[in-house]
Amino acid sequence: AQKITQTQPGMFVQEKEAVTLDCTYDTSDPSYGLFWYKQPSSGEMIFLIYQGSYDQQNATEGRYSLNFQKARKSANLVISASQLGDSAMYFCAMRGTNTGANSKLTFGKGITLSVRP
Amino acid sequence: AAGVIQSPRHLIKEKRETATLKCYPIPRHDTVYWYQQGPGQDPQFLISFYEKMQSDKGSIPDRFSAQQFSDYHSELNMSSLELGDSALYFCASSLGGLYIEQFFGPGTRLTVL
């Protein structure tokens, strides 16, 4: 079974500062993928960044980077230079391989980020 | 670029009624997933289809059924609706493969009164 844990309460960050959103995971799969999604108040799920368990380097996508520490089973999202539009719910998710290639996503409970002007 | 299309975007039903949600995946995507997100909750996997065959099943009530058609669009049929079925229903599609991103549609917001 896969489990994603996001335990931070609502996070606040000042505009233009960096913020780290925590995510820990548990799985028995030897290979897996980790994802971060953003969900603004309008409700859509927006893909931000992906990290494969065997990737040698931490993933980066523009202002988003993933601090992947495999031994600690953590995949924290770092948002640099926060913008007001970053205010949203952020979900960490993973998919494994034990059910085949087309594996479902397991989500954490999410973290609410509020960016202050 | 084409995205996942879901219809309707909003749906209001009475208890015990039925509802049909539709999903049109990104062209050439062979896999469709359905997720249910209750108010203030994380998305929960319901069911998935690969090449028109059910590939995985999650916490989908027996009152719900789904299928993927020859043109790869999918429908989620919900019967005997309950108040607790009120949620945001997402469809996502992918091209299969191990680490391929799932592209989410905008969701259908179902309200059961």
Side-chain angles (χ1 to χ4, degrees):
Chain A
Q2 301 167 358
K3 185 177 180 181
I4 295 284
T5 301
Q6 296 180 264
T7 58
Q8 288 170 304
M11 294 286 288
F12 293 87
V13 65
Q14 206 66 34
E15 195 178 7
K16 299 181 184 177
E17 292 186 347
V19 63
T20 298
L21 306 182
D22 295 342
C23 172
T24 59
Y25 62 91
D26 194 19
T27 181
S28 55
D29 288 327
S31 61
Y32 47 89
L34 294 156
F35 302 77
W36 277 91
Y37 285 86
K38 172 185 177 182
Q39 186 175 41
S41 58
S42 53
E44 69 265 35
M45 293 291 281
I46 302 168
F47 166 75
L48 295 178
I49 197 168
Y50 159 79
Q51 179 83 45
S53 59
Y54 285 107
D55 290 346
Q56 295 297 311
Q57 293 186 324
N58 286 343
T60 60
E61 287 287 347
R63 294 187 299 112
Y64 305 106
S65 60
L66 205 152
N67 183 3
F68 180 49
Q69 298 187 45
K70 193 172 182 179
R72 299 180 62 181
K73 293 190 175 181
S74 72
N76 299 337
L77 177 70
V78 180
I79 305 175
S80 63
S82 297
Q83 302 173 355
L84 295 178
D86 294 335
S87 295
M89 178 73 83
Y90 288 80
F91 288 99
C92 180
M94 75 180 300
R95 59 180 289 181
T97 62
N98 59 343
T99 57
N102 302 302
S103 185
K104 63 182 180 291
L105 286 171
T106 298
F107 289 84
K109 296 299 181 184
I111 301 169
T112 300
L113 175 66
S114 299
V115 180
R116 292 171 168 153
Chain B
V4 177
I5 297 172
Q6 290 187 249
S7 67
R9 294 290 308 276
H10 301 272
L11 190 59
I12 299 175
K13 290 286 185 179
E14 299 278 343
K15 280 196 306 184
R16 292 181 288 278
E17 285 191 325
T18 62
T20 297
L21 279 54
K22 297 184 179 183
C23 170
Y24 297 86
I26 292 172
R28 295 194 305 278
H29 279 195
D30 53 17
T31 306
V32 166
Y33 304 81
W34 285 97
Y35 295 88
Q36 177 192 55
Q37 185 180 25
Q41 302 295 315
D42 54 297
Q44 295 291 317
F45 169 73
L46 293 177
I47 196 167
S48 63
F49 294 88
Y50 169 67
E51 285 292 345
K52 293 157 279 185
M53 298 288 289
Q54 181 181 309
S55 56
D56 199 359
K57 194 172 181 180
S59 51
I60 183 169
D62 292 339
R63 299 177 289 109
F64 294 6
S65 65
Q67 58 181 324
Q68 187 178 31
F69 294 85
S70 58
D71 63 351
Y72 291 94
H73 94 272
S74 178
E75 294 184 3
L76 178 66
N77 298 293
M78 311 159 71
S79 62
S80 302
L81 287 169
E82 302 173 356
L83 296 178
D85 297 329
S86 295
L88 188 56
Y89 290 84
F90 287 107
C91 171
S93 75
S94 71
L95 194 50
L98 182 58
Y99 297 136
I100 300 299
E101 172 197 345
Q102 292 181 18
F103 293 82
F104 279 75
T108 294
R109 190 171 295 278
L110 172 67
T111 301
V112 181
L113 302 176

